[in-house]
Amino acid sequence: MPRWLRENALTVAMLGAFLIFLLLQSVFGWQTHNEELTQYGAAPLSWWAYLGTGHFAEAVFENWESEFLQMGGYVLLTAYLVQKGSAESKPEDQGDRPEDDERRATPDSPWPVRAGGLPLVVYRNSLSLALLLIFVGSFLGHVFGGVAEYNEEQALQRGAAPISAWQFLGTSDFWFQSMQNWQSEFLAVGVLILLSVVLRQHASPESKPVTAAHAETGA
């Protein structure tokens, strides 16, 4: 295996799977959408045209929204909350790690650490901020994709006038879509946190060592 691939294999595997599944989602979504259009006597779309529809955008962004909310919230909450015995938690008595102290910066430290001031303040929270900003972008994508799909459905089914994105934000349909994804994401993380107290996966950084006591909390 080439060195660059070995060093980036986890990212390549994850993003490769993402692209494959996104492509498959677009194909099956396109077929499903055309079946719905045919039922109402509308002309089917080409696959390329389908990629610009609210049907596709809504399906993609409502899932991204929940994923990045979960990850951003998880990164932020693990900075302050603990679960005794979990590999996903820092030790109960740990605040900032010694390496988080900017006074220990080296010439190889990222430039915001060496610069100090506002760049350092932002950088100290940059991971959770980035994830939550992607959540906000995905949330907006869900709103605008969702209102386009909602208006198309209403026009095909009842000939109803379109509504605005702001009006769609106030519908139960939008929040039902969001909550069914949000609850599942936080359930999955909560289950991982608890299962990692007593279960192990050798060689994984998401697990405590196989020989570790159940009461031992991750670092």
Side-chain angles (χ1 to χ4, degrees), residues 11-190:
T11 299
V12 170
M14 289 296 177
L15 294 184
F18 158 70
L19 291 174
I20 291 170
F21 293 136
L22 182 63
L23 175 62
L24 291 174
Q25 176 188 343
S26 72
V27 171
F28 293 127
W30 167 53
Q31 294 172 345
T32 299
H33 190 54
N34 277 342
E35 289 172 2
E36 294 171 350
L37 292 175
T38 302
Q39 290 175 2
Y40 292 102
L45 300 173
S46 67
W47 175 77
W48 190 254
Y50 170 71
L51 298 181
T53 64
H55 187 274
F56 180 66
E58 180 183 50
V60 169
F61 286 117
E62 73 175 82
N63 284 285
W64 289 13
E65 163 196 306
S66 60
E67 295 288 349
F68 286 106
L69 173 63
Q70 174 242 105
M71 292 305 299
Y74 178 60
V75 169
L76 192 59
L77 289 173
T78 52
Y80 301 99
L81 305 180
V82 300
Q83 171 58 55
K84 181 177 176 60
S86 176
E88 298 293 310
S89 172
K90 64 183 181 180
E92 295 175 77
D93 58 350
Q94 178 179 292
D96 272 7
R97 296 159 295 192
E99 295 81 7
D100 291 327
D101 189 339
E102 63 273 15
R103 291 173 296 183
R104 299 184 60 169
T106 69
D108 293 328
S109 297
W111 74 264
V113 180
R114 290 179 277 111
L118 182 59
L120 174 61
V121 173
V122 173
Y123 190 71
R124 282 173 61 87
N125 300 281
S126 56
L127 181 57
S128 57
L129 285 173
L131 291 168
L132 292 173
L133 283 173
I134 298 173
F135 158 71
V136 171
S138 301
F139 184 88
L140 294 175
H142 179 194
V143 171
F144 289 107
V147 72
E149 172 62 10
Y150 181 86
N151 285 335
E152 181 179 24
E153 286 181 352
Q154 294 300 303
L156 288 172
Q157 295 175 11
R158 300 187 302 168
I163 64 173
S164 66
W166 182 255
Q167 289 172 311
F168 180 63
L169 191 59
T171 64
S172 58
D173 189 49
F174 172 79
W175 291 106
F176 170 70
Q177 293 169 6
S178 292
M179 294 305 116
Q180 68 178 335
N181 286 293
W182 293 12
Q183 55 86 12
S184 63
E185 296 297 337
F186 283 93
L187 171 65
V189 173

